[in-house]
């Protein structure tokens, strides 16, 4: 069987059946596990799938906000509360898109802060809190994802500077790179990083390694990672080498 045909069948199997092990794909296609591993490496290099321990998964793109909002709420709330504790009154906070940033916004009520965001749900959450100076970035509205993107958003960010950025992610690679499933969001995230003094990555346990084919930044661009579970040793080592502080719910890891 030609490699191109195998690649098509592998992607079809992953899209229809979800994550699959090397051994399962080997049996389905009638080739050796070594051949499947080489195919997975090539497909990952082309950005068509993500290799995970023992197999692979296809990145299906970002899910609409409403589909994600009620997933892993307890974990997100733990991360949000710990992240909010980093901020002092009087500081400026830049909140990324996504549901964890929204949970963080809920922890900021009653604080004297400036909050800058492209997240429409964050804006709606904080709009009536008179103690918070609220800055909504302009841009093209992505209705399903409750966010603003595009060159207007990026231009706005070039005019601003925040003490803290709380950045969402679709996945964190073992090398410490923060990834995203949606290419259109990446330039805005990068502009947010440039506009911020400190960058905090919000990543629950499911984000290690998570998904995403588009690189947002490397570990050298991060100051802190806040998560709800111990980070795998390889990723933790990459983050530590870059000087990133890893905060796990209730404790700090050096």
């Amino acid at each position: 069987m030609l490699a191109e045909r195998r690649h098509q069948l592998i992607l079809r199997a992953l899209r229809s059946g979800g994550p699959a092990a090397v051994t399962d794909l080997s049996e389905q296609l009638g080739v050796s596990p070594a051949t499947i591993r080489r195919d997975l490496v090539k497909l990952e290099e082309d950005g068509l799938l993500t290799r995970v321990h023992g197999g692979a998964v296809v990145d299906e793109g970002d899910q609409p906000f409403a589909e994600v909002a009620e997933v892993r709420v307890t974990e997100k709330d733990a991360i949000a509360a710990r992240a909010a504790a980093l901020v002092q009154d009087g500081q400026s906070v830049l909140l990324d898109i996504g549901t964890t940033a929204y949970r963080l916004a809920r922890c900021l009520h009653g604080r004297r802060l400036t909050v800058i965001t492209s997240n429409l749900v964050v804006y709606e959450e904080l709009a009536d809190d008179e103690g918070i100076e609220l800055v909504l970035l302009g841009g093209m509205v992505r209705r399903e994802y409750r966010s603003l993107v595009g060159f207007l958003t990026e231009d706005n960010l070039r005019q601003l500077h925040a003490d803290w950025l709380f950045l969402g992610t679709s996945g964190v690679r073992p090398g410490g790179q923060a990834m995203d499933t949606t290419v259109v969001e990446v330039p805005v995230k990068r502009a947010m990083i440039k506009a911020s003094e400190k960058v905090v990555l919000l990543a629950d346990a499911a984000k290690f390694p998570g998904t995403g084919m588009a690189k947002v930044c490397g570990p050298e661009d991060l100051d802190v990672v806040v998560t709800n579970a111990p980070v795998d040793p390889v990723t933790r080592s990459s983050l530590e080498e870059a000087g990133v502080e890893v905060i796990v719910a209730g404790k700090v890891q050096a």
Side-chain angles (χ1 to χ4, degrees):
M1 185 186 298
L2 294 175
E4 184 177 349
R5 177 58 176 164
R6 283 200 313 275
H7 294 172
Q8 291 174 351
L9 293 174
I10 288 169
L11 291 171
R12 184 182 301 170
L14 293 173
R15 287 179 180 133
S16 62
V22 168
T23 52
D24 293 336
L25 293 170
S26 173
E27 291 176 4
Q28 289 178 40
L29 274 65
V31 297
S32 70
T35 297
I36 293 295
R37 291 189 186 95
R38 287 194 295 271
D39 290 339
L40 297 183
V41 169
K42 178 63 169 63
L43 290 166
E44 184 175 52
E45 289 174 351
D46 292 342
L48 297 174
L49 56 72
T50 299
R51 286 186 296 155
V52 296
H53 182 68
V57 61
V58 168
D59 297 332
E60 293 290 2
D62 55 347
Q63 296 172 277
F65 187 96
E67 292 182 13
V68 187
E70 300 306 319
V71 176
R72 299 189 298 277
V73 173
T74 301
E75 292 89 339
K76 292 173 184 177
D77 280 343
I79 292 169
R82 187 63 185 86
L86 297 172
V87 182
Q88 298 179 7
D89 281 359
Q91 291 188 317
S92 53
V93 177
L94 183 51
L95 292 183
D96 190 14
I97 67 161
T99 58
T100 307
Y102 161 62
R103 308 304 298 190
L104 174 53
R106 290 166 59 96
C107 296
L108 300 179
H109 281 295
R111 305 283 300 275
R112 185 174 57 82
L113 300 167
T114 297
V115 174
I116 307 161
T117 192
S118 60
N119 188 327
L120 292 173
V121 184
V122 167
Y123 166 77
E124 291 165 2
E125 177 68 28
L126 299 177
D128 294 329
D129 192 321
E130 296 183 359
I132 292 178
E133 196 76 29
L134 191 55
V135 179
L136 181 64
L137 299 168
M140 181 76 71
V141 176
R142 300 183 74 220
R143 291 180 177 85
E144 292 271 328
Y145 306 98
R146 311 304 304 276
S147 67
L148 294 155
V149 298
F151 74 93
L152 291 173
T153 318
E154 296 164 48
D155 282 350
N156 284 178
L157 285 162
R158 280 190 277 270
Q159 310 303 316
L160 299 168
H161 184 80
D163 295 308
W164 296 94
L165 163 62
F166 292 97
L167 184 69
T169 184
S170 300
V172 183
R173 292 292 178 262
Q177 301 90 350
M179 309 296 291
D180 201 272
T181 56
T182 312
V183 173
V184 71
E185 297 284 358
V186 172
V188 174
K189 290 175 180 283
R190 290 176 177 170
M192 286 181 169
I193 291 169
K194 290 181 180 178
S196 305
E197 189 71 27
K198 295 281 189 179
V199 179
V200 182
L201 188 69
L202 307 175
D204 63 55
K207 303 299 176 65
F208 297 93
T211 59
M213 66 177 185
K215 178 181 174 181
V216 175
C217 68
E220 67 278 1
D221 297 308
L222 303 173
D223 295 287
V224 182
V225 171
V226 182
T227 185
N228 65 301
V231 177
D232 66 272
V234 175
T235 308
R236 179 181 172 182
S237 177
S238 298
L239 294 169
E240 288 176 345
E241 288 176 7
V244 181
E245 180 184 16
V246 179
I247 299 178
V248 182
K251 62 180 180 178
V252 177
Q253 296 183 352

